[in-house]
Amino acid sequence: MEAALGFILCIVIVVLLVKQWGNNIFAFVIVPPIFALLAGYTVSETSKFIKSGVSSTMSAALIAMFAMTFF
């Protein structure tokens, strides 16, 4: 069930971006937690997922933001 929801999540994000029905922030920040809740995870579990994802990608995001300001 969770694999099917993950596949549907990918399709929904692609459709949102291609059809320009929402901005990128909505597609990548709001939609995945909604699908996590649909998969049966609690709000506290979903927040733990978000915290671990942000902490593991923060350094790369900061480097990208720094590079964009100068190049």
Side-chain angles (χ1 to χ4, degrees):
M1 179 67 181
E2 292 171 356
L5 277 175
F7 187 68
I8 294 169
L9 171 65
C10 292
I11 292 172
V12 167
I13 288 175
V14 168
V15 168
L16 284 173
L17 294 175
V18 170
K19 298 286 187 176
Q20 296 179 350
W21 287 342
N23 59 12
N24 297 347
I25 294 172
F26 177 76
F28 289 117
V29 175
I30 304 299
V31 175
I34 292 170
F35 272 82
L37 294 173
L38 288 175
Y41 293 104
T42 64
V43 174
S44 64
E45 289 174 324
T46 304
S47 68
K48 288 179 187 175
F49 296 151
I50 293 169
K51 281 183 183 179
S52 69
V54 167
S55 67
S56 67
T57 59
M58 184 60 74
S59 61
L62 289 175
I63 290 170
M65 287 174 34
F66 177 76
M68 284 184 225
T69 59
F70 289 103
F71 298 110

